[in-house]
Amino acid sequence: MASIMKSACPLNCWDSCGFHVTVEDDRVIKVDGDPSHPITKGKICGRGRMLEVRTNSSERLTTPLKKVNGEFQQISWNQALDEIALKMKQLKEQVGTTSVLHSHDYANNGILKNLDQRFFNCYGGVTELYGSLCWGAGIEAQKWDFGDAYSHEPQDVINSKNIIIWGRNVARTNMHFYENLLEAKKKGAKLIVIDPLFNATAKIADEHITVKPGLDGLLAAGVIKEILRLGLEDLEFINNSSTGFTDVMELLEGITIEKVSEMTEVPMGKITMLAQVFADKPTATFMGLGLQRYQNGGNTIRFIDALVAVSGNVGIAGGGANYANLQVGQSFDIGNLTLNDRRENHRQFSIMKQAEEILATIDPEIKMIIVTCGNPVTQVPDSSVVQQAFSSVETLVVIDQFMTDTARLADYVLPATTVFEEEDIYYSSMYHHYVNYGPKLVSAPGEAKPDLWIWTQLAERLGFGEDFNFSREEWLNMTLKSLSEKGLTLEMLKEQHTLELPVKPIPWLDRQFKTPSGKFEFTSEHGRLELAVPQESKWRNPELAKKYPYSLLTIHPMRSNHSQNYHLLKKEPKLRVEVSEDIAKKMQLQEDDVVRVWNERGDVRGYLTILSKSHPNTINIDEGIWKKFGGPVNNLTSSGESDNGLGSTLYDCLVNIEKVN
Ligand SMILES: Nc1nc2c(c(=O)[nH]1)N[C@H]1C(S)=C(S)[C@@H](COP(=O)(O)OP(=O)(O)OC[C@H]3O[C@@H](n4cnc5c(=O)[nH]c(N)nc54)[C@H](O)[C@@H]3O)O[C@H]1N2
Ligand SMILES: Nc1nc2c(c(=O)[nH]1)N[C@H]1C(S)=C(S)[C@@H](COP(=O)(O)OP(=O)(O)OC[C@H]3O[C@@H](n4cnc5c(=O)[nH]c(N)nc54)[C@H](O)[C@@H]3O)O[C@H]1N2
Ligand code: SF4
Ligand SMILES: [Mo]
């Protein structure tokens, strides 16, 4: 008999939905929304529903595999674990533990996924990745400005008079916030979308402002200049709760509104309009992650923060510089899981430049890579170098549910469970502040095992089994230690499935910022604001811009979380190259033409789509697509780092395009 069980979405996403999962005969039949979830209210997206297909797919990895003479052979878990442990033991004795690289991303929001860090720390400390392809530049920027990256609770948008969606593809990537926007609009809020693409959120906006990719910081600077010219700044906030404002005034003296308009390609009238809207408080700003994946990404977010501050929209209901909500993750005692003090050695590679580092680093060289919750060959920039690097090491171990483009390169592939096959708790530090519980609902197919089981088995073989000798219950309790003291226990979570975390609904209400000065810092100890432009632009690289005249965005796909669903779609996916109308006209390109997009790093081929109302000279190809379907788009992207060192330059990318026959 079928029964409906509560669970949660594990995907790396803003929304962190509650699920109703139909289970029959130890099999997941259907994934739906949990109507009682306070934020996600019974609605989920196609990616969530597809977790049923992911779980039941006949393409699931079900046994450990070892590559012998270029071919994968099935082997037993004992053989796989013994051989991997032996290799790690030898490397520890002969070369040093940092000859092992742990390459990962955040494909699963389960809190126990952090136990990979404990494993590598107890082993002795390996080479780990720092920075983030996803949101790194913006997080660091907000840490400089506010001391941390905190957002308002989702419902607060109902208090806003004006709402600015700045580079967030809400309708596609953050569907429950889209519902809130519709509600706020009904209550009379004005909605403005600032985005080079006329996306589904722009369709419901009162104003869509297209901007030249990567020029948002300059646009924000122009709006601040207009606010000052019109005398609309919040002097009380500036005088009492900030430092460094004179540096901003000095900087803005060096540029005219005309110049801002010319460079951003935003008409002057729109800049003045934005100044008035920001001053007509409360105005809420919701930044996406797209606009900071540029070399100047840190300055972009800092300038938008500065605009929110100058206009007096910090720490007020209906306002805010909403980017991420790190308060959510900070509620848990993740350090109890990871045991960072156990590592004796430590080395770090930038996540952006991991491939170059693998190829170049000596003392010690990287001998072994273990990949968890990531698909670097598809997702990390400059794919041809990634491919080369991951093929170059003695031993590559990939733990995954499917034979991805990264897994294909591996020496050992270990089959992992999906969300419904293990117990965990799930949250996201991107949007709402509720934690969800996900019990084990069905058995895993074949010999697929949870990541935690794999670490436990390897730990035993490597002599630190006692560090993993805990039950799931005990692990989960470790992460909830502080919350339990506040009355929020695992028992309650298991019973209620969703609990509200005790975070500030409106951050910075008390204006006690976490910066060194305790104030909002226009100028930080890390440096002043700069009027910066993208690396691959006509201003910084005129020769390159002549050869490659178009800006390439590679935004997140509609039907897949990154690379996770392409191989499971009913209709075989095709790589679509979306171009602005002016490009199609200039190059005489028509819908469905086969085109090649290229630059010095590589190329991809795909079918043309013409984008209406998007910014001129702009191309988009959705990210995540597998090699066999024409990808990866990261053949084209660069492995650069943002100005503050912690973010990627995935969208800071110039290309050319041609029709092929
Ligand atoms: N369907 C779907 N949803 C997802 C994901 C997915 O893969 N698929 N991934 C999840 C994850 S991990 C993340 S990080 C989030 C990301 O969520 P978003 O930030 O919403 O999405 P991105 O695709 O990263 O960013 C895309 C938006 O930024 C705009 N953009 C790009 N460059 C610029 C610029 O220079 N200026 C401005 N103003 N806008 C710009 C794009 O046109 C696009 O509208 O989505 C999450 N949700
Ligand atoms: N060009 C371009 N590149 C991008 C982006 C972009 O916008 N443009 N976005 C970037 C962003 S924002 C992000 S967050 C990254 C995401 O990059 P990744 O996290 O690497 O991408 P995913 O495809 O979500 O997942 C990686 C793999 O994890 C596996 N997996 C899922 N659950 C589990 C699990 O429980 N255990 C194990 N061991 N494996 C599991 C999946 O099967 C999948 O193969 O991509 C980045 N790359
Ligand atoms: S992918 Fe995001 S929106 Fe879709 S079900 Fe999961 S958490 Fe919800
Ligand atoms: Mo992301």
Side-chain angles (χ1 to χ4, degrees):
M1 224 189 58
S3 49
I4 293 178
M5 318 287 280
K6 287 194 181 207
S7 178
C9 188
L11 294 173
N12 183 359
C13 174
W14 298 95
D15 294 54
S16 200
C17 291
F19 281 168
H20 267 184
V21 181
T22 312
V23 176
E24 190 171 13
D25 297 332
D26 201 25
R27 196 178 153 89
V28 172
I29 304 292
K30 189 176 171 199
V31 179
D32 227 324
D34 171 4
S36 73
H37 193 283
I39 299 290
T40 63
K41 297 179 182 157
K43 288 195 181 168
I44 59 167
C45 77
R47 293 165 289 146
R49 291 181 200 286
M50 282 285 281
L51 287 165
E52 178 270 313
V53 182
R54 271 184 79 79
T55 299
N56 294 321
S57 168
S58 58
E59 290 177 43
R60 279 282 296 276
L61 295 168
T62 53
T63 59
L65 300 171
K66 178 181 182 179
K67 202 178 270 158
V68 182
N69 299 326
E71 298 276 330
F72 281 118
Q73 289 181 357
Q74 294 188 1
I75 56 170
S76 69
W77 269 111
N78 268 334
Q79 185 188 343
L81 295 162
D82 287 348
E83 289 181 15
I84 293 166
L86 178 66
K87 179 79 190 180
M88 291 186 80
K89 214 174 196 169
Q90 286 168 346
L91 288 175
K92 185 171 180 165
E93 282 159 9
Q94 293 160 18
V95 197
T97 55
T98 55
S99 63
V100 176
L101 170 69
H102 174 210
S103 176
H104 67 103
D105 213 308
Y106 295 96
N108 182 315
N109 279 341
I111 204 164
L112 299 187
K113 295 294 159 181
N114 289 294
L115 284 163
D116 53 1
Q117 310 252 357
R118 184 189 193 93
F119 172 77
F120 291 111
N121 288 335
C122 292
Y123 167 63
V126 296
T127 302
E128 290 280 357
L129 302 177
Y130 72 87
S132 163
L133 300 169
C134 175
W135 63 1
I139 295 283
E140 186 67 2
Q142 292 217 317
K143 285 186 176 167
W144 294 7
D145 299 340
F146 298 96
D148 219 329
Y150 293 165
S151 288
H152 291 221
E153 66 170 336
Q155 293 90 331
D156 181 55
V157 73
I158 300 302
N159 300 317
S160 307
K161 222 177 196 182
N162 303 292
I163 302 165
I164 316 289
I165 304 296
W166 207 322
R168 192 187 298 187
N169 199 357
V170 178
R172 183 186 287 195
T173 67
N174 189 188
M175 66 176 280
H176 297 91
F177 184 45
Y178 183 76
E179 303 283 324
N180 288 350
L181 290 181
L182 293 176
E183 199 183 329
K185 264 193 71 134
K186 250 191 226 151
K187 290 208 160 165
K190 179 174 175 151
L191 178 65
I192 298 177
V193 167
I194 307 177
D195 201 297
L197 305 182
F198 183 69
N199 55 28
T201 318
K203 284 186 190 148
I204 61 157
D206 297 289
E207 285 267 357
H208 170 227
I209 298 176
T210 79
V211 55
K212 189 169 175 65
L215 273 288
D216 303 83
L218 198 68
L219 176 60
V223 180
I224 297 175
K225 198 168 165 96
E226 271 302 84
I227 286 179
L228 296 176
R229 184 182 68 85
L230 298 167
L232 295 172
E233 69 274 25
D234 185 332
L235 279 176
E236 191 276 319
F237 181 88
I238 294 169
N239 292 336
N240 299 327
S241 300
S242 81
T243 64
F245 187 63
T246 48
D247 292 341
V248 180
M249 292 206 295
E250 201 175 284
L251 182 67
L252 293 181
E253 271 163 30
I255 189 150
T256 63
I257 295 289
E258 288 77 8
K259 189 74 188 165
V260 170
S261 171
E262 180 204 312
M263 289 174 73
T264 59
E265 299 171 1
V266 175
M268 302 242 293
K270 301 260 182 199
I271 299 175
T272 309
M273 182 272 287
L274 282 172
Q276 282 155 346
V277 164
F278 270 91
D280 185 21
K281 297 191 288 189
T283 294
T285 304
F286 292 87
M287 290 168 259
L289 313 184
L291 81 165
Q292 48 92 59
R293 296 193 189 111
Y294 292 83
Q295 197 279 330
N296 57 332
N299 270 290
T300 296
I301 301 297
R302 288 192 71 202
F303 255 116
I304 297 174
D305 289 347
L307 168 57
V308 175
V310 168
S311 58
N313 282 297
V314 169
I316 63 168
N322 301 280
Y323 176 73
N325 203 1
L326 297 189
Q327 303 180 85
V328 178
Q330 289 164 2
S331 305
F332 302 93
D333 302 300
I334 294 179
N336 289 347
L337 295 183
T338 57
L339 297 186
N340 285 344
D341 55 349
R342 288 288 297 278
R343 63 185 174 214
E344 285 152 22
N345 292 301
H346 192 43
R347 184 168 67 179
Q348 288 191 312
F349 289 172
S350 145
I351 188 168
M352 279 60 75
K353 296 204 174 288
Q354 56 185 298
E356 285 138 275
E357 295 271 30
I358 292 164
L359 293 170
T361 302
I362 46 169
D363 234 9
E365 272 177 51
I366 296 297
K367 298 283 188 191
M368 183 181 207
I369 306 176
I370 301 183
V371 179
T372 63
C373 289
N375 182 9
V377 169
T378 315
Q379 296 308 122
V380 172
D382 208 352
S383 305
S384 68
V385 184
V386 178
Q387 165 111 12
Q388 193 195 340
F390 280 72
S391 310
S392 74
V393 295
E394 281 174 15
T395 311
L396 174 64
V397 179
V398 175
I399 307 175
D400 207 308
Q401 299 149 348
F402 290 91
M403 186 56 77
T404 61
D405 288 338
T406 305
R408 281 189 194 288
L409 303 181
D411 299 290
Y412 294 91
V413 180
L414 306 180
T417 46
T418 68
V419 52
F420 306 122
E421 296 156 2
E422 61 178 312
E423 179 193 28
D424 211 332
I425 64 178
Y426 301 89
Y427 66 87
S428 161
S429 294
M430 294 172 78
Y431 175 54
H432 69 70
H433 57 286
Y434 290 77
V435 56
N436 301 328
Y437 173 67
K440 178 176 173 180
L441 298 178
V442 294
S443 315
E447 295 170 27
K449 297 286 184 195
D451 293 270
L452 173 52
W453 181 88
I454 300 171
W455 305 130
T456 307
Q457 291 291 318
L458 287 172
E460 258 172 39
R461 284 166 173 77
L462 286 162
F464 51 94
E466 73 282 4
D467 288 314
F468 277 80
N469 195 13
F470 299 94
S471 65
R472 287 239 169 203
E473 180 105 3
E474 287 169 322
W475 290 121
L476 291 173
N477 274 319
M478 281 181 209
T479 71
L480 293 171
K481 193 166 175 293
S482 311
L483 285 168
S484 303
E485 285 156 14
K486 293 178 190 153
L488 204 150
T489 63
L490 181 59
E491 239 165 36
M492 284 164 70
L493 185 55
K494 282 187 178 181
E495 203 181 286
Q496 298 175 34
H497 279 263
T498 298
L499 286 178
E500 183 173 10
L501 294 166
V503 305
K504 294 198 167 131
I506 297 169
W508 320 123
L509 197 64
D510 56 6
R511 296 196 188 171
Q512 302 296 308
F513 296 99
K514 287 168 76 180
T515 52
S517 66
K519 298 191 170 189
F520 178 90
E521 297 191 348
F522 289 104
T523 292
S524 132
E525 63 183 0
H526 304 282
R528 290 178 173 214
L529 277 163
E530 279 170 39
L531 294 167
V533 293
Q535 174 69 33
E536 300 201 353
S537 62
K538 62 185 175 194
W539 302 285
R540 285 173 75 177
N541 213 328
E543 286 307 309
L544 191 79
K546 247 184 238 154
K547 260 168 99 178
Y548 303 107
Y550 307 119
S551 299
L552 177 73
L553 310 181
T554 53
I555 70 170
H556 293 199
M558 179 74 194
R559 291 196 170 71
S560 184
N561 225 51
H562 310 297
S563 66
Q564 294 200 37
N565 287 354
Y566 284 94
H567 61 307
L568 302 170
L569 298 172
K570 278 206 187 104
K571 213 173 133 205
E572 181 162 309
K574 279 181 175 174
L575 188 141
R576 305 287 331 178
V577 177
E578 303 176 321
V579 306
S580 52
E581 276 166 329
D582 61 304
I583 299 178
K585 212 165 169 188
K586 214 164 10 196
M587 310 279 300
Q588 296 185 316
L589 299 172
Q590 277 165 11
E591 204 69 23
D592 284 327
D593 276 351
V594 179
V595 291
R596 183 173 86 100
V597 178
W598 84 97
N599 61 21
E600 256 132 55
R601 290 175 288 267
D603 68 351
V604 296
R605 277 155 207 260
Y607 298 86
L608 194 89
T609 299
I610 299 168
L611 292 173
S612 68
K613 299 186 197 172
S614 66
H615 203 79
N617 296 315
T618 305
I619 300 180
N620 174 58
I621 308 174
D622 287 354
E623 54 108 349
I625 196 162
W626 297 37
K627 218 178 251 183
K628 64 177 171 192
F629 304 124
V633 295
N634 280 317
N635 281 342
L636 298 160
T637 57
S638 79
S639 63
E641 290 160 349
S642 63
D643 41 12
N644 55 29
L646 295 175
S648 66
T649 59
L650 287 164
Y651 300 0
D652 193 332
C653 181
L654 290 177
V655 294
N656 209 334
I657 185 170
E658 67 183 358
K659 190 174 161 169
V660 292
N661 293 316

